[in-house]
Amino acid sequence: MYFRGWQRRVYILVTSFGWLFLLLPSSVVAKCTSVDVMLAGKIETNSNSEREFDLVFSWVDGLKITQTAASKSEESGQFTTSISYSTYSGRSFSGHDQCSFKLSSVDFEVYRQSVLIQTGVLALDQKRWFYTILID
């Protein structure tokens, strides 16, 4: 193959970077996707006091990184938020990334006027998207 000067340099550059990606450890090149989950629900209380709350959700994703998301409930107690997590679940025996992690639970904290009033865990179910949080 005959290349002119600049064509030869471009060819060498492209092929060099191509081999570089093959030689990089797989942890550097992201292969697993992220999954977005919508959490929606309602906070129910036994009293007729204020129903506007601040919520903080936290979870550990497939990369063992703690993630957080915040939400504010409406006057009716309804809330919605979106969370995202990596599906990375480790390496196979052959060294390839496995992407089968599924988030099973999310911790939550409920605040009223910046005071923590309730903590708990939401057990996630792929067939369910609406959750009820009961405040004592």
Side-chain angles (χ1 to χ4, degrees), residues 18 91 101 104 112 125 129 135:
R91 293 204 183 240
F101 177 81
S104 61
R112 180 186 290 144
D125 182 350
W129 60 273
I135 303 293

Side-chain angles (χ1 to χ4, degrees), residues 14-131:
V14 168
T15 57
S16 297
F17 279 113
W19 285 105
L20 180 64
F21 280 113
L22 291 175
L23 297 175
L24 283 174
S26 61
S27 61
V28 175
V29 181
K31 296 177 184 172
C32 297
T33 61
S34 290
V35 173
D36 294 325
V37 176
M38 178 63 81
L39 292 180
K42 184 172 185 176
I43 299 175
E44 293 187 358
T45 64
N46 293 332
S47 67
N48 289 333
S49 63
E50 178 184 337
R51 291 181 179 243
E52 289 184 23
F53 302 94
D54 293 313
L55 295 105
V56 176
F57 299 95
S58 61
W59 63 97
V60 178
D61 70 6
L63 294 170
K64 306 292 185 232
I65 298 173
T66 301
Q67 306 285 339
T68 59
S71 180
K72 187 172 189 75
S73 71
E74 298 173 3
E75 207 172 295
S76 64
Q78 302 264 1
F79 66 88
T80 59
T81 191
S82 179
I83 64 173
S84 181
Y85 65 91
S86 169
T87 59
Y88 177 80
S89 59
R91 293 204 183 240
S92 68
F93 181 71
S94 63
H96 294 91
D97 290 343
Q98 295 179 338
C99 304
S100 59
F101 177 81
K102 291 187 181 176
L103 190 63
S104 61
S105 65
V106 174
D107 296 331
F108 68 85
E109 297 175 339
V110 180
Y111 294 85
R112 180 186 290 144
Q113 298 174 349
S114 301
V115 176
L116 178 65
I117 59 169
Q118 183 87 19
T119 62
V121 177
L122 293 179
L124 301 181
D125 182 350
Q126 292 185 355
K127 297 176 186 171
R128 182 176 164 194
W129 60 273
F130 193 85
Y131 299 89

